[in-house]
Amino acid sequence: MAVNGYTGYGYQMVDSSCAANGGALQYPYAQSTMYMDTIVAGQNMTNQQLSMMANDLRNVCSLVESSQLLKEKENYGAEEAYSQIIQNPNGLTVFDKLGYPHIVVEARLEYAFRIRADGRYCQPDVYVIQFVNARPLVIAEKEFQKPELLVNKLSSAVGKPVARLRSTRKIGQLLQNFFSAAAKELYIPFYSGWKQVDDRWHFCLLGSSTHGQIPLKLPVTQQLPDILEREVPPLAASETLHAVNRISALMKSIESSELQSTIFLFIHVSSIYSLLGGIGFSPRLGLCLYSPEPQVLACLEKMFSWYGDSRIELSIPGKEFLRRLIERKDQPLVIRDSSQNEKNEKVLLNAMETNSIPSVERDCGEQAFQALPIVLSSSLSTLSVSSKFVLLEALATDLKENAFASISNLMRYLPDYMNAFAHYVSEHVHELEHEIQTATNDILTSCPEDVALTEDALTMLGILMGVQNVVRAYHRDLSPSNDLAEDLRSLLPSDLPKALMRLLQQSSAYADSDLAVASKFSAIVLENIKSGNLDMRGALTGMQLNSFGQSKLGVVYQDEDFYYFTRQAFTSICRRCQMSSPMVLNALNAQGILSGTPVNGSTFLTRKTVVEQDGQKSVKALYKIEQAVLEEYSSF
C-alpha cells in the first residue's frame, strides 16, 4: 500500500530531468521533504516500510555523491586533457578528458640531446632526437620552436604520421614541452687543451684520437662522440714507448743538432702554452723559422702542423686573421709571412705582448691568446727581425736528404706522443712550476755580465730550461731501452742551455744599431777570408783563390772590386757572428752596403754570371758587397 504516493521505491519518484538540469543537487532536499511530510501527516508505517525508506534514502545520497564526483572529474578532465605527453612502452602518449590514453608518436624514444655549442662557433642550439628503429631527427633551435614544422619533421624521421588529436599546433607545442624536459644538455667546447677544474690542471680532448680543435659541423649525429670533451687518458706503456721511439726518429730527420734540439723543445712548449700562462709563466716570444729554400720551409712547416690545420697567411684580411688567431690553443700557431701586412703584424705582436686578441664581433669582448706563434719566413720581414721572436735559420744541408718523406711518414705518431706527455705533465704541474722558477732564478744570478737579454728573453730562457728538465724527467720515467735513452738524451744535450742563450741574445740584439751589426759582420768576413775558411773563387775565371778550397762555410766569388756571397757562405758567416741572416741583411741594407740590382725587394740577392772551375758559365743569385766597404766597416 502506498503511503501518500510513496511506493517504497524512492528512485521511481525522481524526475528524469533532474540530472540534466542540475536538479540532482536539489534531490536530497526534495526526497527528504516528502518523507518528513509523510511522517508529519501521522501516517502509520510498518517497520519494513521504514527500513525500505532508510535504504532508499541512503541510495539517493550515494547517487548524489557519485553525481557530484563525476561532475568534478569531468571539470578536472576538461582542464587536464591533452596537457602533457608521457612515454609508455608503446610510444609517446597523451590523455583525453576521461583519462583514456592516445598514442601521439608510435615509437619509443631512445634519447634526446640539446647541444649547446660555445658561442665562438656561431652555431644555434641543436636538438638531436632518436627513436628506436628510426633515423635521428636533428633540428635547429629555430625550427624546433615552430610547432607545425616540428610535427612534420618528426613524422618524417619516425616514418609514421604524428597523431593529430588536436590541432597540429597544439600537438607540436606538447611535443616541444616533452622534448625540452627530456633532452639532456650537451655542451660543446670551442677548445681542447689545458683547463683548470677544482684547482687541478688537466688536459682535455675533443674526439677519440686527437686534441686538435674539431670544427663543429651539424647536423651530424655520428659526430657527437667526437665533439664531446673528455680528459686525456693514459696510454699503455708499450704504446707510449713506441710513440716516443717514432718521435725520436722524426727528430733525426734534422741533421743540425742545434736546430733539432731547439725545435724539439719548442714543440713541447707549444703543447703546454695555456698551462704555462695559468701558472704564471706566459711565453712572450715566438719562434721564427727562416730559410730561403722552399723545400726546407715545407719540411719545417710539416713538423708544426699537428692536426692538418692549414697555416695562416699574414696577408689575409684582418677579420679572418683575428678568427684564425682565436682558433688555436695549445698547439703551434703557424704563420707564413711571404707577403707583408703591417696591420696583421701589429695585431700579432700585440697579442703576444698582452695575451689577448681583439674580438671579431663587437659584443664578444677580447679573446685569450693561447698558442705559440711559429712564423715561417723566406725573406727579410718585420717579424723575422723582431725581438719578439727567436730566429732559427735552416738550409738544405741542415736536413737529411729524405727529410720530407720521413717527416710525412712519422708525424702520425705525434698526437700519441703529445697526449702521453700531457698526461704526465697533468700529474707533475707543481714540478713544472718549480723547475721553471728554479731555472729563472739561476739565470738571474749566474748570467754573465756581457750577455744582454731583454726581460722577455730572460723569461723565455727560464721557461725553455725548465721545460727541458721536465721533458728529461718524463723520458726517464718511461724507462726506455739503453739505445732509446741515448737517442732522447741527444735531443736535449747538456750544452743546449748555451745554445738557447745565444739564440735569445741574438733576439735581444735586434735593438743594436745597424752600424754595430754591419761592423761586426764585416770584421768576421775578412777574418774568415784571411784564415781560408771560405772557398774563394774568381768570378770571371772560376780559379781557386785560396789553397784550402771546398770549405764548409761555402763559396764566395770575387772580382776586382766585389765579393759575391752564396747563401750558404753568407748564412755561415752570420752564424759565426751569432746573428741571424735577416738581422744582418736588415743592417747592411740600412747602411747601404749591399750592391747590385736585387732579384726582388725582400731577398737582396742579385744575379751574377760566374765562371765555374770547369769553365762553364752559370747565372747565380748572390749577395754582392764592395770589398772596400767591408774594409771600411770592419775598422769601426
Side-chain angles (χ1 to χ4, degrees):
M1 173 180 171
V3 180
N4 199 21
Y6 175 61
T7 64
Y9 301 96
Y11 292 114
Q12 296 176 5
M13 302 181 66
V14 180
D15 187 348
S16 62
S17 64
C18 182
N21 61 20
L25 295 177
Q26 303 169 10
Y27 187 82
Y29 174 77
Q31 187 72 5
S32 62
T33 301
M34 182 196 72
Y35 287 137
M36 291 302 296
D37 288 346
T38 302
I39 296 170
V40 172
Q43 299 292 337
N44 293 323
M45 292 187 291
T46 65
N47 290 335
Q48 182 181 6
Q49 287 176 323
L50 289 171
S51 177
M52 290 175 61
M53 184 177 68
N55 287 335
D56 283 345
L57 184 58
R58 282 193 293 270
N59 288 337
V60 168
C61 291
S62 177
L63 177 64
V64 171
E65 183 178 356
S66 298
S67 177
Q68 288 176 321
L69 291 174
L70 178 62
K71 187 170 185 66
E72 290 174 3
K73 183 177 180 180
E74 288 178 348
N75 291 337
Y76 176 80
E79 294 175 1
E80 295 298 312
Y82 307 104
S83 63
Q84 64 176 332
I85 289 177
I86 66 169
Q87 170 151 260
N88 67 30
N90 297 319
L92 303 189
T93 303
V94 68
F95 291 91
D96 63 19
K97 67 180 181 180
L98 295 179
Y100 293 112
H102 299 273
I103 294 178
V104 177
V105 180
E106 193 177 349
R108 183 168 179 79
L109 181 67
E110 185 174 352
Y111 63 76
F113 294 131
R114 182 178 185 178
I115 301 175
R116 308 193 78 128
D118 186 289
R120 283 164 287 205
Y121 280 117
C122 298
Q123 290 274 3
D125 287 1
V126 173
Y127 285 86
V128 179
I129 302 168
Q130 176 69 67
F131 285 87
V132 176
N133 298 325
R135 65 180 180 83
L137 170 61
V138 183
I139 183 169
E141 171 78 15
K142 187 176 181 180
E143 294 178 330
F144 181 84
Q145 294 302 333
K146 297 177 179 179
E148 295 87 351
L149 184 57
L150 174 60
V151 169
N152 292 336
K153 285 186 172 291
L154 191 57
S155 297
S156 177
V158 176
K160 299 176 182 179
V162 173
R164 314 293 174 92
L165 302 174
R166 283 291 184 268
S167 68
T168 303
R169 180 174 183 79
K170 174 64 175 177
I171 294 298
Q173 289 172 339
L174 293 178
L175 289 168
Q176 285 174 342
N177 294 338
F178 173 78
F179 291 128
S180 295
K184 178 182 178 181
E185 283 202 358
L186 299 178
Y187 173 72
I188 309 302
F190 191 72
Y191 296 112
S192 60
W194 291 97
K195 295 184 180 178
Q196 188 176 23
V197 179
D198 298 330
D199 296 326
R200 178 180 175 269
W201 285 95
H202 60 113
F203 195 89
C204 292
L205 301 177
L206 296 182
S208 57
S209 62
T210 176
H211 68 261
Q213 183 203 339
I214 297 178
L216 187 61
K217 297 177 181 177
L218 296 172
V220 181
T221 309
Q222 290 76 9
Q223 194 186 9
L224 284 177
D226 292 329
I227 56 180
L228 301 181
E229 183 180 79
R230 63 189 180 90
E231 189 171 352
V232 59
L235 280 178
S238 59
E239 294 177 340
T240 301
L241 281 172
H242 181 63
V244 171
N245 184 285
R246 295 294 78 202
I247 295 308
S248 175
L250 169 70
M251 298 311 301
K252 297 298 182 183
S253 301
I254 302 175
E255 196 79 56
S256 165
S257 176
E258 181 178 295
L259 188 65
Q260 178 190 94
S261 300
T262 308
I263 286 179
F264 188 58
L265 193 51
F266 268 89
I267 283 175
H268 289 84
V269 172
S270 296
S271 72
I272 58 173
Y273 188 89
S274 68
L275 170 61
L276 290 170
I279 61 176
F281 297 100
S282 294
R284 297 293 177 85
L285 301 184
L287 177 65
C288 180
L289 299 170
Y290 174 84
S291 179
E293 301 170 71
Q295 69 273 23
V296 174
L297 279 184
C299 287
L300 298 178
E301 179 180 349
K302 196 81 173 173
M303 298 190 79
F304 284 98
S305 299
W306 295 356
Y307 309 108
D309 299 317
S310 60
R311 70 192 185 199
I312 303 173
E313 295 290 343
L314 190 65
S315 58
I316 61 176
K319 281 193 173 183
E320 179 63 19
F321 187 72
L322 286 173
R323 288 192 184 96
R324 300 292 296 277
L325 293 187
I326 292 171
E327 286 176 356
R328 301 293 195 276
K329 180 183 178 184
D330 295 324
Q331 59 173 302
L333 178 67
V334 182
I335 300 173
R336 184 75 165 87
D337 73 342
S338 53
S339 299
Q340 301 299 293
N341 186 316
E342 184 177 347
K343 184 177 180 180
N344 286 346
E345 288 169 354
K346 289 181 178 179
V347 167
L348 175 62
L349 294 173
N350 184 68
M352 295 170 65
E353 181 64 31
T354 63
N355 283 324
S356 63
I357 308 169
S359 174
V360 179
E361 308 298 334
R362 294 182 180 178
D363 56 344
C364 290
E366 290 186 340
Q367 303 291 314
F369 185 65
Q370 303 180 97
L372 183 73
I374 308 293
V375 171
L376 303 171
S377 182
S378 60
S379 58
L380 182 63
S381 66
T382 302
L383 298 181
S384 66
V385 295
S386 169
S387 60
K388 299 296 288 184
F389 284 90
V390 178
L391 191 136
L392 277 177
E393 291 187 72
L395 299 173
T397 53
D398 294 321
L399 305 178
K400 290 187 175 178
E401 288 186 10
N402 62 341
F404 188 82
S406 177
I407 292 170
S408 299
N409 179 51
L410 295 170
M411 277 298 292
R412 68 179 185 271
Y413 297 102
L414 188 64
D416 278 348
Y417 175 85
M418 299 315 303
N419 288 344
F421 175 66
H423 182 75
Y424 175 85
V425 172
S426 68
E427 296 181 339
H428 297 82
V429 174
H430 292 301
E431 289 87 340
L432 173 65
E433 187 174 359
H434 172 75
E435 289 291 350
I436 295 175
Q437 188 62 65
T438 300
T440 301
N441 293 338
D442 289 345
I443 293 167
L444 292 174
T445 57
S446 61
C447 187
E449 293 184 2
D450 60 338
V451 175
L453 297 177
T454 64
E455 183 178 345
D456 288 342
L458 280 169
T459 300
M460 193 69 185
L461 183 57
I463 290 171
L464 291 170
M465 293 175 66
V467 171
Q468 172 192 247
N469 292 336
V470 170
V471 175
R472 285 173 174 167
Y474 165 57
H475 290 164
R476 289 193 300 270
D477 191 65
L478 296 173
S479 300
S481 64
N482 291 336
D483 289 343
L484 180 56
E486 183 59 34
D487 287 342
L488 294 174
R489 281 193 292 271
S490 70
L491 293 177
L492 297 172
S494 58
D495 61 348
L496 181 56
K498 290 183 179 179
L500 294 174
M501 185 172 290
R502 181 185 62 78
L503 289 172
L504 287 160
Q505 188 178 9
Q506 172 184 289
S507 177
S508 300
Y510 287 129
D512 289 354
S513 69
D514 294 329
L515 176 60
V517 173
S519 175
K520 184 176 183 179
F521 174 80
S522 300
I524 298 295
V525 167
L526 296 177
E527 178 184 317
N528 280 275
I529 289 175
K530 291 175 183 178
S531 63
N533 292 331
L534 290 165
D535 183 359
M536 306 298 296
R537 300 181 187 179
L540 303 179
T541 64
M543 182 186 296
Q544 200 83 42
L545 300 180
N546 60 351
S547 59
F548 296 90
Q550 304 301 320
S551 168
K552 290 184 178 180
L553 293 186
V555 175
V556 177
Y557 295 94
Q558 179 181 352
D559 60 20
E560 187 176 342
D561 298 313
F562 292 93
Y563 293 124
Y564 302 89
F565 294 82
T566 59
R567 281 173 169 168
Q568 181 184 356
F570 187 87
T571 301
S572 297
I573 293 296
C574 291
R575 288 178 176 177
R576 293 212 164 189
C577 297
Q578 296 190 351
M579 296 185 294
S580 68
S581 295
M583 177 183 180
V584 174
L585 285 172
N586 188 57
L588 298 181
N589 180 59
Q591 293 293 309
I593 295 175
L594 295 170
S595 302
T597 302
V599 174
N600 60 57
S602 58
T603 63
F604 298 103
L605 291 164
T606 186
R607 288 190 178 92
K608 173 68 176 177
T609 301
V610 299
V611 179
E612 301 294 356
Q613 289 179 309
D614 59 4
Q616 296 294 318
K617 291 183 178 181
S618 63
V619 178
K620 294 184 177 292
L622 305 164
Y623 295 107
K624 182 180 180 181
I625 301 177
E626 189 174 358
Q627 296 178 31
V629 172
L630 280 182
E631 292 282 357
E632 178 185 351
Y633 272 84
S634 67
S635 61
F636 289 155

